[in-house]
Amino acid sequence: MTTAHTAASEAATRGVGKPGAGKPNAGKKKRLRDWLGRRLTIAPGEALPQRRLFLIPTRFGLGWIALVAVLLLFGVNYQNSLAYALAFWLAGLAMVVLVRAWRNLLGVTVELQLPREAFAGHEARLQVILRAARPRTAIGLVLDAHETTLPGLENEASARLPWRPGQRGWQLPPTLRLESCWPLGLVRAVAWVQPTDGLLVYPAPLEAAGAEHRQLGAGLDATDFAGLRRFERGDSATRVAWKQWSRSGILTTKVFSVPPRQQLWLDYANCRGSPERRLSLLCARVLAHHRAGDHYGLRLPGLELPLAEGERQRRAALEALGLFQAGSTGGLDQ
């Protein structure tokens, strides 16, 4: 879905001023990416097969090959048996290293756990779980230019990698790369895991908007004394009516009235700016009013979320903002 959208955007950009221009090239690039994806990557939960595991020589490995070649040339030219022996020993050791590096990743199973929620432009954490039937050593995980290394893998190991989605809506996490230079660093064993499950990314909350609203508990503190009730286990000692207890011998707790919570509507039409700025503003207000415990509703073009509160209302409002199509604003963006 993301690949198709990217290809369509490229085709539209190339085709400005020339109807139909760029479409064949865009189609070829899409087919090439799909073919490479099928040939190079595996899906989460699939044991890494040998046809998806690649060995790439490192700089040290290329130097090793050059040294073996030089020793062979020296032995041929000067008929030096010691040069022959050293060249064959280094070549044999390199073959053992190739097999060990290849087996270090072969059969590893990778599972991905998406973050509970993510906001555009904000860092989210992707849980990566590796499983293997036998011990492995020094497996590196690379996701979106962030790298971490698991020093050892007995049966199961996990790591949390940062990921920063760039825009709201349904997004696929970037391709995860597994690599290992163990044991001598002559080659790098590499494999790629392509996530198959997307994550709904919410708009980036506008921090200035959140600062204008009440913080946690603001406006909900007890204010007026409302009476007494019998003491119950768990009541705060500061709320116990000690004077009343000393006179009557009955342990009671003070009860205070709480001001009513706000009931308000968050309306797209009342916001100013571009569609994305409006959504960011509404996202910040949803988070602020949820923290304050307010009773709120959300109005978007073509959608009205009734007044409610709590985690379910927060989730429904954020999903509506994340899925909102800017083209359905009906002229409100002016």
Side-chain angles (χ1 to χ4, degrees), residues 260-271:
R261 297 178 176 179
Q262 289 190 18
Q263 296 190 12
L264 46 90
W265 284 96
L266 307 180
D267 200 330
Y268 180 93
N270 293 335
C271 300

Side-chain angles (χ1 to χ4, degrees), residues 60-319:
F60 181 54
L62 294 175
W64 189 286
I65 295 173
L67 177 60
V68 171
V70 169
L71 288 174
L72 283 177
L73 290 175
F74 184 83
V76 169
N77 288 335
Y78 295 98
Q79 296 298 312
N80 190 307
S81 59
L82 183 59
Y84 278 123
L86 184 57
F88 292 143
W89 181 80
L90 291 176
L93 181 59
M95 295 301 297
V96 173
V97 168
L98 289 177
V99 174
R100 296 283 288 178
W102 179 71
R103 284 176 53 82
N104 193 44
L105 284 186
L106 184 65
V108 172
T109 301
V110 182
E111 293 185 5
L112 303 178
Q113 292 183 359
L114 298 177
R116 182 172 176 269
E117 62 182 22
F119 296 88
H122 290 227
E123 185 177 281
R125 293 279 174 170
L126 187 68
Q127 181 83 7
V128 181
I129 302 174
L130 302 184
R131 293 187 174 90
R134 52 185 174 80
R136 313 301 173 100
T137 306
I139 298 180
L141 304 173
V142 182
L143 180 74
D144 200 16
H146 297 280
E147 181 176 359
T148 187
T149 301
L150 299 175
L153 171 62
E154 294 296 331
N155 295 313
E156 181 177 316
S158 63
R160 296 175 65 87
L161 298 178
W163 167 47
R164 192 181 297 271
Q167 57 185 5
R168 65 180 180 87
W170 285 105
Q171 302 292 331
L172 274 177
T175 302
L176 173 69
R177 186 171 82 242
L178 276 68
E179 62 181 29
S180 176
C181 293
W182 186 84
L184 289 182
L186 298 182
V187 294
R188 178 179 287 105
V190 181
W192 289 271
V193 180
Q194 177 60 58
T196 55
D197 295 330
L199 175 68
L200 180 58
V201 179
Y202 305 137
L206 198 61
E207 297 180 1
E212 297 174 358
H213 290 76
R214 301 181 302 171
Q215 300 300 319
L216 177 63
L220 299 180
D221 296 330
T223 54
D224 299 328
F225 179 73
L228 298 174
R229 62 169 173 80
R230 280 191 172 275
F231 175 82
E232 296 178 359
R233 180 171 298 184
D235 288 345
S236 173
T238 59
R239 295 292 181 90
V240 175
W242 297 108
K243 293 182 179 180
Q244 182 74 13
W245 172 73
S246 63
R247 290 195 297 267
S248 63
I250 300 175
L251 201 58
T252 57
T253 301
K254 300 175 184 178
V255 179
F256 295 87
S257 62
V258 177
R261 297 178 176 179
Q262 289 190 18
Q263 296 190 12
L264 46 90
W265 284 96
L266 307 180
D267 200 330
Y268 180 93
N270 293 335
C271 300
R272 294 293 179 265
S274 65
E276 292 303 324
R277 188 186 186 281
R278 296 186 189 201
L279 296 176
S280 296
L281 180 63
L282 291 173
C283 180
R285 290 179 176 175
V286 166
L287 297 177
H289 289 301
H290 172 75
R291 288 192 299 266
D294 293 332
H295 206 70
Y296 62 94
L298 177 66
R299 288 194 180 112
L300 296 172
L303 173 67
E304 182 174 300
L305 201 62
L307 288 166
E309 60 181 290
E311 181 60 30
R312 179 176 296 180
Q313 177 74 350
R314 174 185 181 274
R315 179 73 61 178
L318 292 177
E319 289 180 357

